[in-house]
Amino acid sequence: MQNRVIFLADFDYFFAQCEELRNPAIKDKPVVVGVYSGRTEDSGAVSTSNYIARKYGVKSGLPLFMAKKKLEGTDAIFFKVDHEYYDQISSRIMQIFRGYTTALEQVSVDEAYLDVTEEVEGSFDKAREYAQKIKADVKAQVGISFTIGVGPNKLIAKIACDSQKPDGLTIIEPNEAKAFLAPLPVDRLLGVGKKTTAKMAEMGIKTIGELAKYDCQVLIEVFGKVLGIYFHNAANAVDNEPVQEQGEAESISKIGTLKQDSHDLDFILQKTGELTDFVIKEIVARGYSYKTVSIYVVNVDLSSRTRSVTFEQPSKDKETITKNVRILFEKFLSESPLEIRRVGVKVSGFSKDQPQQKQLTSFFTSG
Ligand code: TTP
Ligand code: CA
């Protein structure tokens, strides 16, 4: 079997980098993004911080009042989390990734696996150039930097990625994988938490190298069959998990705030036009057809409404969305006198194009 070549892309100090992107002037200052619980002005915790703030010891999870203390006397800037904005940037990057691979697995808002085996013809040399190209493309189009770990499987790609950040590129070739893991502590493996680490320490296992050499039979006796075999394989850099999309999307939507509250159809349709552009790109990238188009409205009094239309036959094009969003808004505005603050476009009822790939069975029967 050909080597696989797997990338893990992890966006650098993501929420804080998004804030820098829209306020370039703050780039040289400590930047902290926090979740404010609202009880007092400073209650809440740090979501993330840029690398300058990290030098002062300000990291994810730290209470905000402590972050303020550590950064006292600096020109640090604090932001409230804005998930809608970060999601939007994340989706734009994921969309670029889709142009570079047929197998993309988004793990979180700022992490995704790409199986690029075919694209680089199994070559780790080509993988380096390919990774640099993707990084440069995203930097140019979106302005965000990220780190890529490259390995023969997901496990190695992930640990490679964590080994050098930010703006990193770490490549571990198949013949280096075991030696790369060996000196690392066992808790670097997915699924090895505090309890397991303590149990392994009792057994005299501290590093992944020690775990790799440990009698697999004993691991099975202590941790059970599934985990025992998993620990043995993982420590030996063996991982056959495929890179696969996490379930199909049920709907694709985009919401935005109008520049000013409005009841004017054309003004509203200007905004929904932008939202539709975004939605149709996602649909095309995923090879979907859709049957339902919906609009979402948040009125000035913050009440929200949705309206939908479902067709008999699936569609794939942008015009059908544009046309139906117009019809839905015309009707909605004629029924509701309130000015609108935010609008959304949602498309659902998906069916997927048949993949062009031949089914395995057709090889068996055509022989
Ligand atoms: P991470 O990838 O863990 O961190 P990061 O992107 O900020 O920094 P790094 O350069 O080390 O990759 O998390 C991704 C985002 O998730 C992060 O930007 C903010 C959010 N987050 C929280 O809100 N709370 C947390 O405790 C953590 C760890 C992350
Ligand atoms: Ca990250």
Side-chain angles (χ1 to χ4, degrees), residues 165-235:
K165 284 178 168 186
D167 203 12
L169 172 56
T170 303
I171 300 179
I172 304 297
E173 301 206 16
N175 61 0
E176 305 165 329
K178 267 187 79 165
F180 169 68
L181 293 182
L184 302 175
V186 286
D187 66 1
R188 293 290 294 276
L189 296 175
L190 195 73
V192 180
K194 276 200 182 121
K195 263 194 190 164
T196 309
T197 306
K199 183 79 210 160
M200 286 183 180
E202 268 174 39
M203 298 161 73
I205 311 170
K206 287 229 164 71
T207 66
I208 298 179
E210 287 159 356
L211 179 60
K213 285 193 216 122
Y214 209 85
D215 186 344
C216 182
Q217 215 45 52
V218 181
L219 291 177
I220 291 173
E221 276 160 32
V222 177
F223 298 105
K225 193 167 176 189
V226 174
L227 274 182
I229 293 176
Y230 162 73
F231 291 148
H232 175 78
N233 284 338

Side-chain angles (χ1 to χ4, degrees), residues 10-14 54 110-111 165:
D10 181 339
F11 311 158
D12 301 324
Y13 62 102
F14 184 51
R54 288 181 197 192
D110 84 326
E111 258 180 72
K165 284 178 168 186

Side-chain angles (χ1 to χ4, degrees), residues 232-245:
H232 175 78
N233 284 338
N236 283 284
V238 173
D239 167 30
N240 295 317
E241 285 296 304
V243 173
Q244 56 191 355
E245 194 97 26

Side-chain angles (χ1 to χ4, degrees), residues 320-331:
T320 307
I321 306 178
T322 306
K323 194 174 90 191
N324 284 282
V325 166
R326 168 180 274 275
I327 294 169
L328 289 169
F329 266 108
E330 271 170 354
K331 184 150 188 296

Side-chain angles (χ1 to χ4, degrees), residues 13 15 34 54 66 86 195 215 228 281 304:
Y13 62 102
F15 294 1
R54 288 181 197 192
M66 284 177 70
Y86 312 143
K195 263 194 190 164
D215 186 344
K281 270 192 205 148
S304 61

